[in-house]
Amino acid sequence: MASVAKEWREIPGRYNLVGCKCGACGKIYFPRRNLCPECRRASIGKMEDYAICRKGKVFSFSVIYDAPECNNLLKPYAVAMVKTDDGVMISAQLVDVDVNSIEIGMPVRAVLRKLDADGESGVIHYGFKFVPDN
């Protein structure tokens, strides 16, 4: 079982939407990479942390009507590809929205939410999801 401090240290992308930006070409990646697939060797030592924009628009989405037993209470729920305002594509669940009102191009913003827990008294795992940004 992981400690809360260890969870925070090892998964900054999950908690803070931290990706990276190539210092050679300027391309932004999420999740973080150690090497730019475009620049390859030219990017070694030049990948910098980058705070991904928390606002964006729904690029594509799917509504899940039949899910694994662990997600039965969520049904139906939506997952989406969100294109952030800085051009990064992120897949995540859409929450606090009627699944019938979701549209391509709908403005959304990232929020921190509980994902799961290690048993009843275990570490709670948080991560990002997207909500409508009205």
Side-chain angles (χ1 to χ4, degrees):
M1 183 179 344
S3 73
V4 173
K6 180 179 178 184
E7 189 78 12
W8 181 264
R9 280 192 316 271
E10 292 183 352
I11 314 174
R14 182 186 294 175
Y15 287 87
N16 301 310
L17 276 182
V18 174
C20 64
K21 184 174 185 176
C22 176
C25 72
K27 189 159 172 120
I28 302 167
Y29 296 98
F30 182 81
R32 193 177 192 323
R33 298 172 177 250
N34 292 323
L35 186 73
C36 174
E38 300 291 324
C39 298
R40 300 185 187 261
R41 296 179 109 185
S43 68
I44 295 174
K46 296 180 183 172
M47 299 301 283
E48 305 160 358
D49 283 350
Y50 181 86
I52 304 296
C53 183
R54 292 180 170 269
K55 292 189 174 197
K57 293 188 169 122
V58 173
F59 183 82
S60 178
F61 71 95
S62 182
V63 177
I64 311 300
Y65 291 96
D66 191 19
E69 190 173 320
C70 62
N71 289 345
N72 271 342
L73 297 176
L74 301 175
K75 295 189 305 190
Y77 63 95
V79 291
M81 289 298 299
V82 172
K83 187 170 190 176
T84 65
D85 288 351
D86 47 10
V88 178
M89 294 289 269
I90 299 176
S91 61
Q93 184 180 1
L94 296 177
V95 295
D96 299 344
V97 63
D98 177 356
V99 294
N100 296 311
S101 68
I102 300 169
E103 296 178 353
I104 302 296
M106 182 173 83
V108 292
R109 65 183 166 81
V111 293
L112 188 67
R113 294 286 173 91
K114 178 180 175 181
L115 298 177
D116 63 10
D118 291 334
E120 287 186 31
S121 61
V123 173
I124 297 173
H125 302 275
Y126 291 93
F128 60 88
K129 297 183 180 187
F130 284 88
V131 297
D133 189 31
N134 301 332

